[in-house]
Amino acid sequence: MQVARLGQVHRVTGETDVRVQLDLDGSGRCQANTGVPFLDHMLHQISSHGLIDLEVNAVGDTHIDDHHTNEDVGIAFGQALAQALGDRRGIHRFGHFVAPLDEALVQVALDCSGRPHLSYGLAIPAQKIGSYDTELVKEFFVAVANNAGLTLHLRQLDGVNSHHIVEAGFKAFARALRLATELDPRRAGAVPSSKGVLERAGA
């Protein structure tokens, strides 16, 4: 019988109050209320295309700007993901996906290695998508990679429309994450490393 792979984090700072719950073996149900509409839209992409049941609620100092809420949601999501993965037994570990969205094409390769690293290669033409600062895309993925223990590479292969580029990036991330975190029946519950152990994010 498979153990439920769940993560639940409540992060409170002087700038934000963030709650994240996720189920890695879900069906893509999502409830996202962060006060940052474009971030909510991207969280729905992660949930839908990663088949992760996700609930995110955040209250932050968005009257200043979206930076703190965006970063802290990324931190809490990464911590919940690390919690759900546990010692990472039985997973495929590696994931790769190339997502097209009209003229945009974005590649994501990731390793649930426990060793945080982000190599970011999105060239987003616009400074804003709606009210969302596009420089916050990188900050979100930095927070996720650092707190989930992911080695994460994002590469833009094509694209000129900022919304298309960013959304393709989140969709590619979601699909690569799904591939990496799904259970490999041939692993038989073993840790997917020749060393027999993977680093534990946050440990």
Side-chain angles (χ1 to χ4, degrees):
M1 181 177 171
Q2 182 181 325
V3 176
R5 299 190 297 166
L6 309 174
Q8 183 171 326
V9 171
H10 184 199
R11 174 181 170 82
V12 181
T13 72
E15 299 160 340
T16 63
D17 185 331
V18 179
R19 292 180 184 270
V20 173
Q21 296 183 62
L22 63 80
D23 179 354
L24 275 181
D25 302 304
S27 59
R29 294 192 305 272
C30 184
Q31 177 187 322
N33 297 291
T34 67
V36 182
F38 186 75
L39 179 59
D40 290 348
H41 181 42
M42 294 302 102
L43 292 169
H44 276 273
Q45 303 310 310
I46 292 175
S47 173
S48 176
H49 297 286
L51 291 182
I52 297 169
D53 287 347
L54 181 62
E55 185 174 337
V56 182
N57 292 286
V59 177
D61 55 0
T62 52
H63 60 285
I64 298 173
D65 67 11
D66 296 339
H67 183 97
H68 296 141
T69 299
N70 179 85
E71 182 178 37
D72 286 0
V73 167
I75 289 170
F77 175 80
Q79 290 174 345
L81 179 57
Q83 192 180 112
L85 286 171
D87 61 8
R88 309 183 184 215
R89 289 181 179 275
I91 64 171
H92 284 274
R93 176 178 163 179
F94 298 95
H96 172 260
F97 200 81
V98 181
L101 180 54
D102 295 348
E103 89 299 341
L105 188 65
V106 178
Q107 176 188 54
V108 169
L110 64 82
D111 177 7
C112 297
S113 61
R115 298 185 303 277
H117 174 81
L118 174 65
S119 181
Y120 181 85
L122 300 187
I124 306 168
Q127 291 185 333
K128 285 184 177 290
I129 300 173
S131 61
Y132 185 80
D133 292 320
T134 53
E135 66 180 10
L136 297 182
V137 175
K138 181 178 181 180
E139 299 307 316
F140 177 83
F141 283 115
V142 166
V144 172
N146 284 344
N147 288 275
L150 302 180
T151 301
L152 175 59
H153 291 255
L154 290 98
R155 287 286 177 273
Q156 181 180 329
L157 305 179
D158 206 349
V160 294
N161 180 286
S162 296
H163 192 133
H164 293 168
I165 293 165
V166 175
E167 187 167 333
F170 273 84
K171 286 177 174 176
F173 171 73
R175 288 299 302 265
L177 184 65
R178 175 181 165 188
L179 292 168
T181 58
E182 283 184 339
L183 296 171
D184 182 351
R186 294 180 63 193
R187 283 282 174 201
V191 174
S193 170
S194 58
K195 295 184 294 187
V197 65
L198 290 171
E199 301 298 326
R200 291 288 293 271

